[in-house]
Every structure is written in C-alpha cells, then in structure tokens.
Amino acid sequence: MAALRAAKQALRREIKGRVSAVSDQEKLRQSRVVSQKLFRHPKYLSSQRVAVFLNMHDEVHTDDILQDIFKRGKVCFIPRYFTKSSRMDMLRLKDMEEVKTLPLMSWDIRQPADEDSDREEALTSGGLDLILMPGLGFDKKGNRLGRGKGFYDTYLERCMTHPKGKPYTIALAFKEQLCAEVPVGEHDILIDEVLYEDEE
C-alpha cells in the first residue's frame, strides 16, 4: 500500500512538471482538438445526461464542451466536491450564465455552494449516461491517476448502485498526461476511454 502511494506521488510530480511546461496557448489548442474529437464521438452524441468538470488551469479546458452540451439540448451536471471527504455530487447546471454566478471554491474552480440545496443531483433522478473525467495522468488501458482524494472513484461506486448503472466514462487529457503505465490499487476504477490529441 505504501509502495503504491509512493509510486503514485512520484508520477504525480512528474506529470505536473510536464504539464506546467506546456504554454497556455498550447493547452488551449490541445483542448480544442480534444473537444472536437468529443463532439464527433458516438457515445457523446447519444448521451442525454452528461457530467463535465469545470477545469483547473492544468486540465483540458471545458468551456466549449459546456456550450455544446447546452446547444444540443443535453442535460448538464457539474461536480460539487466536499473537500473534507472524498464525497462528490453531480449537480444540474441550467445554462452557461449560471457558471459565472457560482462561487469560487477550493482549487480556484467554481462549484455550487455547500448550502445550495435546490439543484437536482444526478443520482437522485435519472442517473448519468456519460461522465467526462479530469485527472492528472492516464495510460492507454484506461487506468487513471487522480489527485489522491478519490472523488471520482467514490462517485462511480455510487453510480453502480443506481438503476441506470455505471455511466460511460471518457477522460479528457493533454498529450503530456499520457503515461506508459499508471500504478493502480483495488479501489481504482478503470475508465472506458481517454481522449487526447494523437497522431491521426
């Protein structure tokens, strides 16, 4: 267990270093490429209820994706992280305007406030068809290296108890976040697919 934790920490440091060396302009360019790949993806096109993260500085930018979700009339959910635990809820977002009104929380990202109890949570209603996932590192087998809090793994376990079952999961990544192999433990849940700019 300690060896796995140490291996993950070392890889997190390495990937953070690689991503921080990428210019803002290049991050934006890759984000647009990844977004366009997503917009052609059959799972995205057929999904009606979609969860997407509001990105941190070192993650694929999701503004275009949010706009596309609303443009296509899909139902959009975004994370609310409870920073003192590994709990996360996926709460409904009505439109792009709402994003600007959300409070700025930990990690410099916007999310619904803890006391915001009026929003629909995905698992208390119709579940989710698709989760677009962030992360620090990924390998091509679908192993994901998160930031160590376990938010998404815990949430996916909750999804499995919903009548709809586990949603399809697509991670959005910069090329620099791809690894030969991500060290994983028994609680790490495989993701279905990683989208990044490859050499097509």
Side-chain angles (χ1 to χ4, degrees), residues 147-197:
R147 292 173 190 268
K149 293 276 196 175
F151 289 119
Y152 279 87
D153 291 321
T154 307
Y155 193 77
L156 285 169
E157 281 171 10
R158 282 170 60 201
C159 288
M160 288 172 195
T161 66
H162 189 276
K164 197 166 204 168
K166 179 181 166 290
Y168 197 79
T169 48
I170 298 179
L172 308 177
F174 297 125
K175 288 183 291 193
E176 291 74 14
Q177 292 177 287
L178 265 285
C179 311
E181 193 172 359
V182 168
V184 287
E186 60 188 86
H187 294 296
D188 295 310
I189 296 174
L190 266 179
I191 48 182
D192 294 307
E193 213 171 323
V194 184
L195 279 194
Y196 58 97
E197 183 189 27

Side-chain angles (χ1 to χ4, degrees), residues 31-142:
S31 296
R32 287 187 173 138
V33 171
V34 171
S35 298
Q36 289 305 318
K37 287 183 86 162
L38 178 71
F39 299 156
R40 296 191 297 272
H41 197 292
K43 283 287 185 188
Y44 174 72
L45 294 170
S46 66
S47 292
Q48 190 51 33
R49 295 167 65 86
V50 180
V52 60
F53 58 96
L54 302 183
N55 64 281
M56 292 189 231
H57 181 68
D58 58 355
E59 294 170 339
V60 166
H61 300 213
T62 55
D63 294 1
D64 289 353
I65 295 169
L66 279 160
Q67 285 178 349
D68 193 78
I69 288 171
F70 291 121
K71 192 177 82 183
R72 293 178 195 263
K74 297 178 186 295
V75 184
C76 181
F77 295 86
I78 58 166
R80 173 168 65 190
Y81 306 99
F82 292 92
T83 52
K84 293 184 175 66
S85 69
S86 62
R87 186 181 172 88
M88 172 179 78
D89 288 334
M90 287 292 185
L91 302 182
R92 183 158 182 190
L93 193 65
K94 294 279 195 326
D95 53 42
M96 282 303 287
E97 288 307 303
E98 262 199 318
V99 177
K100 299 169 193 154
T101 67
L102 296 173
L104 210 53
M105 308 296 272
S106 307
W107 312 310
D108 214 23
I109 51 174
R110 294 187 183 279
Q111 68 171 33
D114 289 357
E115 61 276 8
D116 185 345
S117 57
D118 297 333
R119 292 176 191 275
E120 175 190 343
E121 205 290 322
L123 296 183
T124 62
S125 51
L128 287 166
D129 300 314
L130 174 66
I131 300 182
L132 302 174
M133 294 177 66
L136 267 179
F138 310 93
D139 65 26
K140 291 180 182 177
K141 295 198 288 274

